[in-house]
Amino acid sequence: MTNQTIIPRPASLWLIAQFELRKALSGTRGLIGLGAFILCWLVLLIYPIGSAANWLSQPGFIDMVRAFTEGQANEILSWKVPEMAMFWVLALYLFPLSVLMVSADMFATDRQQGTLRFLLQRASRHEIFWGRLLGHLILQTLLIALAIAATLLMAMLRQADTLAAGLQQALWVLPALVINALPYLALMALLSVVCRSSRMSILWAIIILLLGGLVIQLLTYNLPILSFMTDIIPGSQLSAMINTKGAGVLGHILIPVIQSLLLLAAGAIIFWRKRL
Amino acid sequence: MSLIKCDQVSLSYGSHRALDCLSFTVESGGPVALVGPNGAGKTSLFSCLCGYQRPDSGSISVLGHAPGSAALAGRLAALPQDAKLDARFSIKAQLTYFARLQGMSAKQAQTEAMRVLALVDLEGIADKQPSELSHGMNKRVSIAQALLGNPELVLLDEPTAGLDPANTKAIRELIKSLKDQTQFMISSHNLDELEKLCSSVLYIDKGQLTKSMAVESADAGVSYLTLKMMNADDQTLLPALERLTGVSKVEQTAAGEFVLQTQPRQGHQLESEVLQLLSAHGWQYRMLLNGRTLEDSLFSASS
């Protein structure tokens, strides 16, 4: 393996990514997954997003919330399309959760069943690792774009002339949500390389995110000098991202980008060395 | 250039030494058999050759490249033991995917997928998923994927394990038909099958190479004649065989089975004497073989 090509071949990367997309979206399992996603967002759109948009479109309600939050929600309240504002708040937390579910089995089952051995005869370990990651990244981007499109449609049903403003907001929201989901994708890539099953990958993700976050909170509370550790766990920047607007939604991308790079480097190295 | 070159290869799983300073070279020629008891290290060796894992020490060269090298894609193929295809896709879709990864266009890949399925007589199941197939069919499909793109070297780990006799024969005939354009290395416990197929044998035990020989080699100055009986009084037959002209030693390898060791001989004088002896006593033989079986070559006391 010492002579293996470090730089993946683009054609192989793309083929592997395409196959991952087909795996996620086709067949009975894929269609059920897609159906569940659509159903969840339909319920969210009709109830929290649809209802909240009605309230947020009333000036009196906005003034009341501004007073209640002491100005801490000024940015989010000033979004031109209230449906997009509500979508933003929900999506910040829900899409990372969907990544944990959807990408938990990037490598685990195929590694245990020996399926990866068929691929290893035709593609390098780097191509398999980065190709599958690319496929999952494209999948998450498509799902986010689909949810944004549905939200914009909902907004247009309420008020027909919201499309232009909504698209402008979507221009920033889409990349921000994709980058926000990236550390979770990287974490699941790493865990599915290490764990024997998708179930164990999800369990360990929960332990790392919840228990790890709790431990770090306790440590930083007692030792403020360790406050930098709050940026170790994916999601540390989420609450700060809520009250942003326009290009400002991309103002906190540095932390998730660094987290992603570190997690992906660890995953790639382990996958390079692991017995498959 | 040697096809495979292993030099002092060692591999351990915890405290268990799977491969222990293993060294051998495989040159191009007929199929090579890899034989050994359970746990000898055959599958571990194949894993190292294919790049599924790296050895702890030593060096391996396959077709002049390190295992797992991108240069080997399409040139080296393997049937990994117990590996399963993706349960979510049809056989044709997966074989097409593999062929595309080997550099074929979409159309070429589809054609190639059907070609290799035809080689294993499974064109009819192309649109089925692995879960719909029997163990034997899945094994044949896995063999088919190893033939995509006409690779130069194919490693088959237990290719006939779990196959019925008819399919075993079909796989054997397939390998025979391809052996002029493809080099095979076959790991199996079935010595009869390997004897019919392979021209050389590597015997591994406890991670070490203990024997390397040609299947039909004759020891210098020694010939063999193998006799298997349907019915005979072994206690009477054995000394009678020892008294035959030119026989230096007779070894009874199993009930009713004898290996006669002789000087190199011309003609069939000894065979005639054996048959006359059997006829005189009314004994029926099952097989009379000029030489000895692979099993006897590997495991007899005189080997």
Side-chain angles (χ1 to χ4, degrees):
Chain A
M1 286 189 283
T2 53
N3 281 358
Q4 220 179 29
T5 309
I6 299 296
I7 301 172
R9 294 165 294 178
S12 295
L13 275 181
W14 180 234
L15 272 169
I16 293 170
Q18 275 182 301
F19 201 77
E20 281 306 288
L21 269 174
R22 276 179 67 189
K23 208 188 286 188
L25 298 174
S26 66
T28 310
R29 203 196 231 178
L31 291 174
I32 289 174
L34 194 59
F37 174 84
I38 291 171
L39 203 59
C40 284
W41 274 103
L42 204 59
V43 170
L44 287 169
L45 284 168
I46 293 171
Y47 295 109
I49 294 177
S51 304
N54 282 330
W55 300 329
L56 288 172
S57 60
Q58 296 167 21
F61 181 81
I62 292 176
D63 292 337
M64 185 181 74
V65 173
R66 277 206 176 110
F68 183 73
T69 58
E70 296 176 353
Q72 294 297 314
N74 283 348
E75 294 293 315
I76 189 71
L77 288 173
S78 64
W79 283 42
K80 288 182 183 165
V81 181
E83 286 87 351
M84 284 296 292
M86 202 60 191
F87 168 81
W88 169 247
V89 174
L90 290 171
L92 272 177
Y93 292 92
L94 290 179
F95 274 108
L97 195 62
S98 86
V99 166
L100 296 191
M101 301 295 150
V102 170
S103 302
D105 200 12
M106 218 182 289
F107 300 103
T109 300
D110 284 352
R111 193 164 50 81
Q112 283 300 109
Q113 295 192 338
T115 313
L116 285 181
R117 295 183 167 194
F118 294 117
L119 291 183
L120 275 170
Q121 298 172 42
R122 295 150 176 110
S124 69
R125 289 183 181 229
H126 282 305
E127 286 163 355
I128 295 170
F129 182 83
W130 296 107
R132 286 198 168 194
L133 185 81
L134 177 63
H136 281 260
L137 182 61
I138 293 172
L139 174 65
Q140 285 300 323
T141 305
L142 286 174
L143 292 177
I144 292 170
L146 188 64
I148 290 174
T151 306
L152 288 176
L153 186 63
M154 176 128 240
M156 283 170 61
L157 288 173
R158 177 182 62 81
Q159 189 175 331
D161 61 355
T162 55
L163 182 60
L167 281 173
Q168 208 173 18
Q169 285 168 330
L171 193 66
W172 303 110
V173 163
L174 176 61
L177 287 176
V178 170
I179 294 171
N180 189 50
L182 207 46
Y184 299 89
L185 195 59
L187 178 65
M188 297 320 291
L190 169 60
L191 289 175
S192 70
V193 167
V194 171
C195 298
R196 291 175 183 265
S197 68
S198 58
R199 189 189 304 175
M200 287 308 298
S201 301
I202 293 173
L203 285 176
W204 274 107
I206 292 170
I207 289 170
I208 289 168
L209 293 171
L210 292 183
L211 196 59
L214 190 63
V215 166
I216 287 174
Q217 288 290 338
L218 286 171
L219 278 173
T220 53
Y221 180 77
N222 290 296
L223 294 166
I225 198 168
L226 295 176
S227 61
F228 67 91
M229 287 181 70
T230 54
D231 291 334
I232 291 176
I233 302 293
S236 58
Q237 81 290 354
L238 286 182
S239 53
M241 288 175 78
I242 292 175
N243 190 34
T244 52
K245 187 176 91 169
V249 300
L250 292 169
H252 298 272
I253 62 168
L254 188 62
I255 293 171
V257 166
I258 293 173
Q259 288 170 342
S260 304
L261 289 174
L262 291 172
L263 287 167
L264 287 173
I269 290 168
I270 294 172
F271 193 73
W272 169 264
R273 298 184 63 85
K274 201 165 181 61
R275 178 180 168 222
L276 295 178
Chain B
M1 179 186 70
S2 302
L3 289 176
I4 300 174
K5 194 168 178 198
C6 284
D7 187 23
Q8 297 291 307
V9 173
S10 293
L11 174 71
S12 295
Y13 301 119
S15 59
H16 170 64
R17 193 98 160 145
L19 299 175
D20 190 2
C21 299
L22 188 67
S23 295
F24 67 90
T25 303
V26 173
E27 307 290 346
S28 57
V32 176
L34 183 65
V35 182
N38 291 334
K42 302 186 297 296
T43 299
S44 297
L45 174 61
F46 270 26
S47 291
C48 291
L49 294 176
C50 294
Y52 302 152
Q53 64 184 77
R54 61 173 68 185
D56 297 328
S57 60
S59 67
I60 299 176
S61 166
V62 179
L63 297 172
H65 298 277
S69 170
L72 290 173
R75 298 180 66 199
L76 168 70
L79 166 67
Q81 192 183 54
D82 298 331
K84 293 181 185 172
L85 289 166
D86 197 317
R88 289 162 284 197
F89 289 92
S90 70
I91 299 300
K92 186 178 172 185
Q94 294 188 67
L95 294 186
T96 304
Y97 174 45
F98 296 157
R100 291 214 65 197
L101 283 174
Q102 285 178 217
M104 296 181 212
S105 68
K107 195 172 176 193
Q108 284 173 332
Q110 285 190 5
T111 306
E112 181 66 1
M114 294 309 296
R115 182 188 75 86
V116 297
L117 282 177
L119 284 177
V120 296
D121 200 24
L122 283 176
E123 310 101 298
I125 56 86
D127 293 321
K128 290 191 185 288
Q129 292 177 340
S131 58
E132 297 177 74
L133 306 181
S134 67
H135 168 77
M137 285 175 160
N138 272 306
K139 177 76 77 152
R140 283 153 66 195
V141 168
S142 298
I143 293 171
Q145 67 78 33
L147 302 175
L148 285 167
N150 295 310
E152 294 169 48
L153 174 61
V154 177
L155 309 179
L156 300 174
D157 197 348
E158 310 266 4
T160 57
L163 294 186
D164 58 48
N167 282 319
T168 298
K169 187 173 180 213
I171 295 301
R172 193 169 62 237
E173 294 305 316
L174 173 64
I175 294 170
K176 269 189 195 168
S177 70
L178 296 173
K179 68 176 185 179
D180 289 335
Q181 63 251 37
T182 302
Q183 173 76 39
F184 289 94
M185 188 168 183
I186 305 166
S187 159
S188 176
H189 290 298
N190 190 333
L191 294 181
D192 285 340
E193 170 192 303
L194 292 175
E195 189 168 34
K196 289 170 187 162
L197 208 47
C198 301
S199 56
S200 60
V201 179
L202 298 174
Y203 186 83
I204 289 183
D205 193 6
K206 295 189 177 70
Q208 293 181 326
L209 182 72
T210 57
K211 276 187 195 135
S212 175
M213 51 182 271
V215 169
E216 291 176 357
S217 71
D219 296 336
V222 179
S223 290
Y224 297 93
L225 190 70
T226 301
L227 174 65
K228 293 188 180 180
M229 301 299 296
M230 284 179 71
N231 62 332
D233 178 359
D234 289 355
Q235 289 186 339
T236 306
L237 178 56
L238 179 60
L241 290 172
E242 285 174 337
R243 287 193 294 270
L244 292 175
T245 311
V247 173
S248 51
K249 185 182 169 186
V250 178
E251 185 184 348
Q252 184 169 5
T253 54
E257 296 182 10
F258 303 89
V259 177
L260 285 65
Q261 187 175 310
T262 71
Q263 302 285 331
R265 58 188 193 280
Q266 302 285 342
H268 303 101
Q269 179 65 30
L270 179 60
E271 285 86 336
S272 297
E273 288 184 26
V274 168
L275 291 172
Q276 282 171 16
L277 172 65
L278 300 182
S279 177
H281 289 83
W283 291 328
Q284 294 291 325
Y285 75 97
R286 189 186 310 121
M287 185 184 80
L288 185 62
L289 174 72
N290 185 9
R292 54 179 180 170
T293 64
L294 181 58
E295 182 180 324
D296 291 334
S297 299
L298 288 172
F299 303 123
S300 77
S302 59
S303 64

